[in-house]
Amino acid sequence: MTMFIKKLLSEEEFHDNFNTVDFVKKTLVCFSLEDKKPLWRLWGYAYNNPGVEHAEIIVLRELSKFLGSNPMKKDSQYKVTLYATYSPCLNCCEEIWKFLQKEKVIMNLNISKFYNFYDYDNKISLKVLRKKGVEIKTMTLEDYKACFYLFVHPKEIFQPCEELDAQCERNEIDLDDLWNEEIEDDIFRRKRQNSELFTSDGDENNAFIRLQNDTKTPKKDEQKEPQAKIPVKLPPIKYMDRKEGVKRKLSFDEPN
């Protein structure tokens, strides 16, 4: 089973998947759909189905099914919040954009780790989603705490791994570099020939093409191999108490 609706993660599952030390071969996405109040209308988590579907696609399908049966009122708007162990690939980014075009919801995407960070397709697809209004950020310590309290246990004390702060800082640096990076425009031409990715109905200009104004193709002799990031050395965290004043504003059934 890959989709779990209104089910909480175990602490073991959370730490196995959201830790920043071990390489995990599967993707886990925790999600919530809330309204203006704000109250959760739908929530849960999903794993990828290896060789069949990515976790993001499974979540989007469940959200679409719910929204199809519960149309929004004119004066309301839903917000989707995702906590993902890996950033979405190009195909998942395309499906996210199609979902947002159809459902007209707000989306916040919180990333624990990057998937193939130096792959140009993955980079440009994240940039397109950001330009289309998706709030994309790497998870901070506070985000890990929020995810733990909301999807694991509202009363247990969250204990981060020793490398969490350092990895959070590295991820934030990588994401800032990505937003400021000039991507080669050959990917635009290649994608233009093969698909109309992120193109809405009636829009003749592919989103990749429209981003060309923000990119520059380096000359062949100027291209360099990506430099390895210098680790940020921070003191390890041994224990973290739950912050006073943090309240569970989103309501759902508690576990037995």
Side-chain angles (χ1 to χ4, degrees):
M1 187 174 180
T2 57
M3 168 61 73
F4 300 84
I5 301 297
K6 295 186 178 181
K7 299 289 185 182
L8 294 176
L9 277 167
S10 68
E11 290 189 47
E12 181 180 6
E13 285 179 289
F14 178 86
H15 290 296
D16 284 349
N17 288 278
F18 277 99
N19 80 82
T20 58
V21 178
D22 300 327
F23 174 75
V24 183
K25 293 184 178 180
K26 59 184 176 182
T27 299
L28 169 63
V29 177
C30 300
F31 69 94
S32 66
L33 176 71
E34 64 183 71
D35 56 24
K36 289 175 61 178
K37 294 182 180 180
L39 293 174
W40 278 6
R41 303 294 302 279
L42 183 70
W43 64 277
Y45 62 94
Y47 289 100
N48 62 303
N49 189 357
V52 181
E53 287 183 307
H54 288 188
E56 296 92 333
I57 306 302
I58 297 172
V59 169
L60 292 176
R61 184 171 61 244
E62 196 67 31
L63 290 170
S64 294
K65 184 169 66 175
F66 177 87
L67 292 170
S69 302
N70 299 271
M72 290 181 292
K73 297 179 181 179
K74 290 183 179 180
D75 60 344
S76 65
Q77 187 171 30
Y78 288 132
K79 181 175 77 172
V80 175
T81 301
L82 304 177
Y83 292 93
T85 55
Y86 285 102
S87 58
C89 65
L90 183 147
N91 290 333
C92 287
C93 285
E94 179 179 8
E95 293 304 317
I96 289 172
W97 170 236
K98 290 179 180 178
F99 168 81
L100 294 176
Q101 285 289 91
K102 178 183 177 182
E103 303 297 347
K104 307 296 183 183
V105 302
I106 299 169
M107 179 174 286
N108 294 338
L109 174 58
N110 303 285
I111 299 168
S112 176
K113 296 181 285 286
F114 288 106
Y115 171 72
N116 286 352
F117 181 72
Y118 290 109
D119 181 271
Y120 277 154
D121 285 17
N122 293 334
K123 282 185 173 185
I124 201 65
S125 60
L126 288 175
K127 290 173 79 76
V128 170
L129 278 187
R130 183 175 184 244
K131 279 186 170 288
K132 292 299 183 179
V134 179
E135 182 178 335
I136 302 173
K137 66 187 294 286
T138 53
M139 292 176 66
T140 64
L141 175 60
E142 293 302 314
D143 294 318
Y144 282 99
K145 289 171 63 177
C147 185
F148 181 85
Y149 297 140
L150 293 172
F151 291 96
V152 181
H153 203 295
K155 296 180 181 179
E156 290 292 329
I157 297 174
F158 171 61
Q159 300 184 52
C161 62
E162 291 185 352
E163 296 295 325
L164 183 60
D165 256 0
Q167 187 60 51
C168 287
E169 188 166 340
R170 286 193 290 267
N171 287 343
E172 185 178 9
I173 292 171
D174 284 341
L175 191 62
D176 286 341
D177 288 346
L178 173 59
W179 298 150
N180 296 318
E181 185 177 352
E182 296 178 336
I183 306 294
E184 293 183 31
D185 61 10
D186 64 339
I187 189 174
F188 302 118
R189 295 191 294 271
R190 177 157 50 85
K191 289 298 175 183
R192 180 65 170 176
Q193 293 172 355
N194 298 322
S195 73
E196 292 298 319
L197 188 59
F198 300 123
T199 303
S200 58
D201 292 340
D203 187 356
E204 297 180 355
N205 294 319
N206 187 280
F208 283 149
I209 301 298
R210 291 199 298 274
L211 281 175
Q212 278 185 312
N213 293 332
D214 300 327
T215 63
K216 180 181 71 174
T217 304
K219 296 179 182 179
K220 189 172 183 179
D221 57 356
E222 293 178 348
Q223 297 178 10
K224 299 179 180 179
E225 293 295 324
Q227 298 292 321
K229 297 294 181 181
I230 299 175
V232 180
K233 294 184 178 181
L234 294 175
I237 302 173
K238 295 182 179 179
Y239 191 80
M240 177 62 67
D241 290 330
R242 184 174 181 181
K243 184 178 179 181
E244 292 296 329
V246 175
K247 296 182 179 180
R248 192 185 191 84
K249 70 173 183 177
L250 305 173
S251 64
F252 50 82
D253 296 334
E254 298 292 349
N256 294 328

